[in-house]
Amino acid sequence: MELLARAQQLERDGRDIIHMEVGEPDFPTPAAVLAAAHAGLADGRVRYTPAAGLPALREAIAAWYEQAFGAKVAPSRIIVTAGASGALMLALALLTEPGDGWLLTDPGYPCNRELVAAFNGRPLPLHVDAGTGFQPTAALLREAWQDGVRGLVVATPANPTGAVLTPNELDALADTTAALGGTLIVDEIYQGLVYDAPAASVLARRQDCFVVNSFSKYFGMTGWRLGWLVVPEGAERQAEMLAQHYFISASTPAQLAALAAFSKDNLVDLELRRQILAERRDVLVDGLESLGLRIAARPSGAFYVWTDVSARTDDSTKLAHRLLEEAGVATTPGLDFVSREAHRYLRIAYTTDVARIAQALERISRVI
Ligand SMILES: Cc1ncc(COP(=O)(O)O)c(C=O)c1O
């Protein structure tokens, strides 16, 4: 956030900044989604919805699971939330008793630590490295498990590494978590943004996990603040009651807008966006490697490249500041995402077009 604030300051001063630090692509909200929001507002549909979300939206999400992934999910198991953030919060609120430990992949999404702590749980790092493609394995999970662990949170694709679990790998994690008496939370927020294999959902194969998703990334709706949580059968009522207490309901205009997100035309547009992101990934990964930077595990999803800059610097935070000040390229230092060897890594997002990525690579090469 410090770097983002500085980047914005430099922009106000007239500097040209290439933004590769933020977790949102440069695509606008899809036109059909905007039109649905306009229509909803014009109709005066601005009151609270039921706590678990508009029934029509929960049904649309359930239908999409079936159509896209062959997953049968009853709408009653879907709770609409304020982004994946709201869904992670709800799941952790529901599952955490004071003192419970949660294994969180490290590197991983930093907010999970704070959410676990907010419910008096204990965030426990589960260290992963390039050796396992920056994802946990069943063996690593068994090794890290200890008394008082409540469960594991994994994201696939992951932030900041873009690492994707195969269905078999994810099943092994789910089986192991269940065998150890814990609960698995799968964050599928970047589902759909995968480049080397078809998009998948754990829900196609099993129903005992809590699954987080969002309209933010694949559906291009970051600022609308809308996502959802899928709970296992039996947890619906408790999740709904917690949602009532915490949020009353998710944003009504955003829910009305999201009803249009699953239309056939929109899904065609989103597929084109995915292909654009795939091309950007290749350009950025190849470009960084040609600068002598190491990509320890080629990212297969999301829109981040977890770049090992240790061949060029012993301090990635310092490098991020230099890239911004001297080259006008905003990136994110590893510090926030990982507890070990953070100084080796920069997260570089391909959230800008190929021409700007090429320009960024040229500017980065001058600095390093
Ligand atoms: C892995 C992961 N989970 C959850 C979120 C929260 O996203 P949102 O609340 O916008 O859906 C993010 C945002 O970047 C993320 O990277």
Side-chain angles (χ1 to χ4, degrees), residues 96-100 115-122:
T96 310
E97 295 297 335
D100 280 352
L115 289 172
V116 168
F119 299 110
N120 300 312
R122 290 175 298 125

Side-chain angles (χ1 to χ4, degrees), residues 22-24 81-88 108-112 154-160 187-190 212-217 221-223 225-228 302-304 337 347:
V22 283
E24 55 187 342
T81 55
S85 305
L88 283 164
Y109 183 56
C111 303
N112 290 340
V154 285
T156 177
N159 178 7
D187 183 347
E188 296 189 341
I189 182 173
Y190 295 100
V212 168
N213 212 321
S214 178
F215 288 97
S216 285
K217 312 288 178 168
M221 293 177 65
T222 45
R225 310 308 306 126
L226 203 68
W228 69 89
F303 34 67
Y304 309 111
F337 300 103
R347 189 192 77 174

Side-chain angles (χ1 to χ4, degrees), residues 306 316-317 333-336 338-346:
W306 187 236
S316 60
T317 303
L335 205 60
D336 221 19
V338 69
S339 62
R340 288 179 179 172
E341 301 202 303
H343 60 275
R344 290 179 78 104
Y345 295 102
L346 274 187

Side-chain angles (χ1 to χ4, degrees), residues 20-43:
M20 304 179 87
E21 80 282 37
V22 283
E24 55 187 342
D26 50 341
F27 306 127
T29 294
V33 172
L34 264 186
H38 280 301
L41 289 174
D43 278 354

Side-chain angles (χ1 to χ4, degrees), residues 138-150:
L140 284 175
L141 178 59
R142 260 198 213 96
E143 214 174 282
W145 204 272
Q146 48 182 272
D147 278 351
V149 169
R150 180 70 183 86

